Amino acid sequence: MQNSKSEYRVEMNGISKSFGVVSVLQDVDFKVKQGEIHALLGENGAGKSTLIKILSGVHQKDSGKVFLNGTEINPKNTHDGQVLGISVVYQELSLVNDLSVAENIYLHKLGASKFWMNWKELIKDAQELINSLGFEIDASAIVRDLSIVQKQVVEIAKALSEDTKVLVLDEPTTVFDPTDTKKLFDNLFRLKEKGIAVIYISHHLDEIFEIADSITVLKDGTDTGSMPVSGIDKDGVIHLMIGRELKDLYPYRDAIIGEVPIFEVKNLTARDTLVNDVSFNVRQGEVLGIAGLGGSGRTETAKLIFGADRKKSGTLLLDNIEIKTKSPVDAVAYGVGLVSEDRKEEGVFLPLSIRKNISVTNFGAIAGKLGFISLDKEHTNVSGLIGKLNIKTPSSEVIVKNLSGGNQQKVALAKWLSIDSKVIIIDEPTRGVDVGAKVEIYNLINEAAKKGVAVVVISSDMPEIIGISDRIVVMHKGSIYGELPKEKFSEENILRYAIGEALKE
């Protein structure tokens, strides 16, 4: 029976959880009111995802109590959580690629009828739900054919397709551009007005201070405090998260940039026209940023260069010599690496260890004279990268799927930073990464540039791309619309080019 006197929609008291000998949560308290947007913050590995998985029934707590509307609950699985009205959109997408958008949204309804499904009504309902969120996605489309931004929207629609009382969003905007992010925030404000409790996990502190009412910070599996957003500033949040001040988020760029381009893309066009006549270049030691709205063709351009997708036409030049990347194997052989935006599907091998993930691109450098892998060389290389990137793990033999999302991203980066690449393309480098780890990643990008690597960074985070780039090109509808030198960097200028407008004089 519901305790109507409880002021909290969710109460988690004294929650502890260990996996084997590893303690993940220790006596954590977490409370969220009805109609509140409550931010849950912390570094990668702080315990945020584990706490949410206990709430939703994925994991079972070792001790403590969980209450929903004042009544104690003990969900044993995700179905129990969904029945209770707890919907979670995880950082790692969990859609069925071979089903349609509508089938994914109403997956819980498939097979519910004893006779037949009314497919026309199912698609109609799904389309209305997506349209209500302000996005244009065909409900009958196959999920495999969607962009990662569109997949994220489908995940959110799926979470809202049931009688939701608590909505949890784990890093929902990491692939969104500012326009998509605003649409999401407008929807969250509407849900708040309906009395839904929203738990919002994000490393983007600007977002937290824009939409959240309260925050709770986890550090090393304990809660360091809960408070209204009005009672703290960004520096205070960072101090609670990492225990130190963070003075310089974007490190000083001091790489020596070459006079002439080391890598050139000329008139690159995709077979499906998502990329049309794209041309740009990047010099040795330069960090070139590629900005643009979702669907502008940034990721598709990277995949064409890397040979993951087949191009219709266009030329790639490395050291002024034409290269042909008909496959990723070709690209790697030429010294071109790609850190994908979708780490789960394309960035890491989830069932393999950290060691194997890092070493897989670099067998030549860690092999002995007879071609066998030198375990000493491999250990030195892998341990060095784990230390540099501060990958939180007790051992390099830990399976990557058991790491937090942010630490998985670090492994994806380490895989390419371990080889002597001439060109590295990094798509959304800090997706799902905490503020402390962002600095570590930016420093590594700087290190790569100092070694003479040409670095191309694709990012939806405008402060990030401004902070780490030497030059920025902006894409609009599959083409390069404009280029910005450092003295013209601003969010307004990037956005103007991204929507196809000229800069103000």
Side-chain angles (χ1 to χ4, degrees):
M1 182 176 176
Q2 179 176 322
N3 179 2
S4 59
K5 293 182 179 180
S6 175
E7 65 174 308
Y8 295 104
R9 175 59 57 90
V10 173
E11 290 182 81
M12 304 181 76
N13 299 328
I15 304 298
S16 295
K17 177 66 178 179
S18 296
F19 295 97
V21 297
V22 179
S23 177
V24 181
L25 296 172
Q26 304 99 42
D27 198 28
V28 171
D29 292 333
F30 180 57
K31 299 178 181 180
V32 184
K33 294 180 180 179
Q34 175 179 312
E36 177 185 40
I37 299 177
H38 195 116
L40 181 60
L41 307 175
E43 290 187 275
N44 297 121
K48 305 184 298 295
S49 294
T50 301
L51 187 67
I52 293 307
K53 287 177 179 178
I54 289 171
L55 173 64
S56 61
V58 176
H59 295 324
Q60 308 306 306
K61 62 188 181 299
D62 295 335
S63 60
K65 293 185 177 182
V66 181
F67 298 88
L68 182 67
N69 296 323
T71 300
E72 186 173 0
I73 61 170
N74 289 289
K76 301 299 182 186
N77 49 53
T78 54
H79 175 72
D80 288 351
Q82 289 168 351
V83 169
L84 290 166
I86 301 167
S87 297
V88 184
V89 178
Y90 289 107
Q91 184 178 335
E92 302 295 349
L93 304 179
S94 59
L95 301 174
V96 182
N97 280 329
D98 293 324
L99 295 184
S100 70
V101 170
E103 288 169 318
N104 269 277
I105 290 174
Y106 292 112
L107 197 60
H108 59 288
K109 287 187 176 181
L110 301 184
S113 172
K114 294 182 180 179
F115 300 102
W116 59 81
M117 286 295 300
N118 188 331
W119 294 106
K120 188 175 180 180
E121 182 178 341
L122 189 81
I123 293 172
K124 176 176 173 290
D125 290 346
Q127 194 67 63
E128 288 177 354
L129 178 55
I130 291 171
N131 292 346
S132 73
L133 295 175
F135 293 90
E136 295 181 6
I137 301 172
D138 183 358
S140 61
I142 300 301
V143 163
R144 185 179 301 281
D145 298 328
L146 302 182
S147 70
I148 193 166
V149 174
Q150 292 172 319
K151 289 178 181 179
Q152 185 74 57
V153 174
V154 174
E155 283 278 20
I156 294 169
K158 180 180 175 182
L160 295 174
S161 67
E162 303 182 64
D163 183 18
T164 302
K165 297 180 177 66
V166 181
L167 175 64
V168 184
L169 297 171
D170 188 356
E171 296 288 352
T173 65
T174 50
V175 295
F176 281 3
D177 60 47
T179 303
D180 292 334
T181 297
K182 185 181 183 305
K183 290 179 185 177
L184 174 64
F185 289 174
D186 289 343
N187 282 297
L188 295 185
F189 292 139
R190 284 195 288 270
L191 295 176
K192 176 181 172 179
E193 290 174 0
K194 293 179 180 179
I196 293 174
V198 178
I199 300 171
Y200 194 91
I201 301 173
S202 178
H203 295 305
H204 295 283
L205 296 187
D206 287 340
E207 295 180 0
I208 299 305
F209 282 89
E210 182 177 349
I211 66 167
D213 301 299
S214 304
I215 66 168
T216 295
V217 179
L218 296 184
K219 179 174 172 56
D220 297 329
T222 62
D223 60 281
T224 61
S226 296
M227 63 211 71
V229 167
S230 58
I232 194 169
D233 59 14
K234 291 181 185 177
D235 289 339
V237 170
I238 291 170
H239 185 73
L240 288 174
M241 287 173 62
I242 64 179
R244 57 183 169 87
E245 292 183 9
L246 195 63
K247 294 181 180 178
D248 298 311
L249 181 58
Y250 303 109
Y252 177 66
R253 293 275 303 118
D254 58 353
I256 298 173
I257 298 174
E259 293 293 329
V260 296
I262 185 177
F263 182 64
E264 295 181 77
V265 176
K266 293 186 175 182
N267 311 114
L268 189 64
T269 299
R271 292 183 174 183
D272 53 15
T273 71
L274 286 173
V275 177
N276 183 42
D277 198 29
V278 166
S279 298
F280 64 85
N281 62 65
V282 56
R283 292 169 288 172
Q284 193 172 35
E286 182 180 29
V287 177
L288 176 72
I290 300 183
L293 301 180
S296 62
R298 298 167 303 169
T299 294
E300 291 79 7
T301 296
K303 288 184 175 181
L304 287 174
I305 293 169
F306 192 60
D309 291 340
R310 298 296 297 275
K311 68 178 185 290
K312 179 181 179 182
S313 60
T315 305
L316 305 179
L317 298 176
L318 184 62
D319 289 324
N320 211 31
I321 298 172
E322 183 176 355
I323 63 172
K324 297 183 183 296
T325 55
K326 295 181 179 179
S327 70
V329 173
D330 293 338
V332 174
Y334 284 118
V336 179
L338 170 64
V339 180
S340 170
E341 67 170 345
D342 189 350
R343 62 172 169 261
K344 184 177 180 181
E345 293 288 333
E346 302 168 346
V348 293
F349 298 103
L350 290 172
L352 300 184
S353 68
I354 297 170
R355 173 179 60 82
K356 290 179 179 178
N357 266 273
I358 293 175
S359 297
V360 72
T361 57
N362 200 25
F363 287 139
I366 61 175
K369 292 181 179 179
L370 298 177
F372 295 102
I373 291 175
S374 167
L375 295 180
D376 288 340
K377 286 183 179 180
E378 183 180 32
H379 175 75
T380 299
N381 182 56
V382 171
S383 297
L385 284 163
I386 287 174
K388 277 186 177 180
L389 280 164
N390 194 24
I391 298 171
K392 293 185 177 179
T393 176
S395 164
S396 63
E397 297 306 311
V398 169
I399 303 302
V400 167
K401 70 178 179 182
N402 294 332
L403 298 176
S404 66
N407 281 299
Q408 289 179 5
Q409 178 72 354
K410 292 180 185 180
V411 172
L413 275 165
K415 186 173 70 174
W416 293 109
L417 292 170
S418 71
I419 66 175
D420 293 326
S421 298
K422 293 182 178 180
V423 181
I424 296 180
I425 304 169
I426 309 175
D427 196 352
E428 303 292 353
T430 61
R431 182 187 175 200
V433 173
D434 63 69
V435 288
K438 283 183 179 182
V439 177
E440 295 160 2
I441 290 173
Y442 298 150
N443 281 327
L444 281 164
I445 290 173
N446 270 358
E447 276 188 38
K450 282 182 181 180
K451 291 177 181 178
V453 177
V455 183
V456 179
V457 174
I458 300 168
S459 178
S460 302
D461 186 332
M462 284 201 283
E464 173 175 88
I465 208 160
I466 288 171
I468 65 175
S469 301
D470 297 305
R471 183 166 51 98
I472 297 172
V473 294
V474 186
M475 294 191 69
H476 171 68
K477 293 185 176 180
S479 300
I480 300 293
Y481 191 84
E483 179 180 316
L484 295 169
K486 208 168 186 72
E487 61 269 19
K488 290 193 176 182
F489 284 6
S490 73
E491 293 191 27
E492 180 183 344
N493 284 349
I494 292 172
L495 189 55
R496 280 185 172 276
Y497 276 160
I499 63 176
E501 297 287 335
L503 302 186
K504 287 183 177 179
E505 293 293 334

